[in-house]
Amino acid sequence: METIRHDSTYKKHIIELWKNPKNFGTIKSPTHELTEHNSICGDEITVQIIVKDGEITDAKFSGSGCVLSVVSASLLTDKLKGMEIEDVKKLGQDDIKKLLKTKIHLSRMKCALLPLEATKKALK
Amino acid sequence: MIINNKTAKKIRQDFPIFKNNKGLIYLDNAATSQKPRQVIKAVTDFYEKDNANTGRGLYTLSEKAIEDYDNARKTVAEFVNAFPNEIIFTKNTTESLNLLSYSLSSIIPNEKDEIVLTEMEHHSNLIPWQQLAKRNKMKLKIIRIKEDFTLDMEDAEQKITNKTAILSFTHVSNVTGTINNVKELINLGKEKGAITIIDAAQATSSIKIDVKHLECDFLAFSSHKIFGPTGIGVLYGKEEFLEKMPPFTFGGGMIKKVELGSAEWADIPEKFEAGTQNIAGAVGLGEAIRYLGKIGLENIAEWEMQLTNYALEKLKEVPQIKIYSPVANKNAGIISFGLGKIHPHDVSALLNEKGIAIRAGHCCAMPLMKKLGLPQGVSRISFSVFNTFEEIDKLVNVLKEIEAKLG
């Protein structure tokens, strides 16, 4: 295996999370749930959330997608835990970039944003 | 010129893109071809030496532009063995097919209300017909593909009936690379009195087209897939049909006489070419056809078949790979594949990090992807004259790395 290029999207931490994503699975009785599709990519990510008193106490995701959408979902669901709903609504592209800590080409931004879109719609 | 690994590398020197993108392995020739400097020069020369509007300028420069444009049309006509007045310049294959989907609607006999297509159509030869079917309350019928990715000709015989108004199909699948038996399909259509249309976008770069031999009523293709500029395409139509059909777009250049309340159309092909045309594009296309002619379509086809054969064999070394393309002798140099559960967009992005350009996704053929059970699409490689065995070796090596990394 050649060394990974510094500008590669597929850095070590990304590959590791892709292979063993955190929060992958389902919640028995979520208070909020939504499946978001990207028909162009064929990606499908379901986000399940438990909200208590305006605060997220648990979040999981399931479905299938490319590396970026899965890793983004994994990192996002981690961040969601303990967040106030009002703060989640303010999350945007820059926050996802900060979470992923890797180069995201313009053409792949949609993949990275899919889980956040699902989350925001679920909380509406 | 017989092409082998050595001459392919020599031909590559005609393409400036490789000088400006060191190490590029371009395996997305089905999406668009690269442009040889001869074509780029022809376009530049036109702008630098002959540029004027072809719309009846009564001066020398305009006459030169008209001559260039007419010569381009003659070159295209010879390329597919048609008469020049049967060649309409459009923007691309998509526009050619859209033109047909509108202009044919008024000449379809009342008793015919079915449009027959195939499962392997590009969206450009599907959506215009879906829309025509909606407008005219017609029915779409779709010929199935078989497990070997070729068309089910028995199903074609069932689906093409006396009610078939239009039979439109692709010559070569842009996903699987399958070369269809166009002559047989045309014959089936003709027996039932259908209007026959060939989408030749993916075929013209390596397959000799002879519309008189095929006896198709219409044929559409794009310049940009055969080493020519983008923004110029072709619609061939039999004179008898073109004469009867109403224009698709209206404006300058397509009229004989205009009064405030009415207008009379120009003769074909001008009737279908409203507004200032892509003159430089046509000139570039003409040069691209000469370039193809110098190398020889049969030589290109032979080389692409060798590359396809080699790649199909070599790709077997990649664990978890699944091929969605037929064997080389039924294939026009396109191989689609899946790599286990790895998303095609990841495959493509990782190949890109090693300088290899391929197509990934649904390749403008969502219904075919659904049929193949591939909602995320495929990874697709497609060859041209300048590709080599070494490039395939490098591709296969990187695919093995990707599989080891993500699989």
Side-chain angles (χ1 to χ4, degrees), chain B residues 325-343:
Chain B
S325 291
V327 292
N329 64 0
K330 289 178 185 169
N331 187 318
I334 297 173
I335 301 172
S336 283
F337 62 90
L339 197 55
K341 284 183 182 161
I342 309 172
H343 197 296

Side-chain angles (χ1 to χ4, degrees), chain B residues 7 36 171 212 260 317 327 384:
Chain B
T7 47
H171 196 318
K212 296 285 180 281
L260 281 177
E317 294 173 12
V327 292
S384 187

Side-chain angles (χ1 to χ4, degrees), chain B residues 36 109 206 304 332 346 359:
Chain B
S206 64
E304 287 177 8
D346 289 320
R359 178 78 154 96

Side-chain angles (χ1 to χ4, degrees), chain B residues 102-121:
Chain B
Y102 278 92
S103 290
L104 281 177
S105 84
S106 60
I107 65 161
I108 295 170
N110 284 336
E111 68 278 12
K112 289 181 173 284
D113 62 353
E114 292 180 354
I115 301 167
V116 179
L117 312 170
T118 81
E119 275 182 331
M120 57 173 87
E121 298 314 318

Side-chain angles (χ1 to χ4, degrees), chain B residues 36-52 61 64-65 68 229 279-284 287 290:
Chain B
R37 61 185 153 73
Q38 292 87 336
V39 169
I40 299 166
K41 185 174 182 297
V43 174
T44 309
D45 276 355
F46 172 77
Y47 281 127
E48 289 184 355
K49 295 173 185 167
D50 295 355
N51 181 54
L61 204 56
K64 276 203 223 173
D68 291 345
I279 311 161
V283 169
E287 189 57 36
R290 277 188 288 280

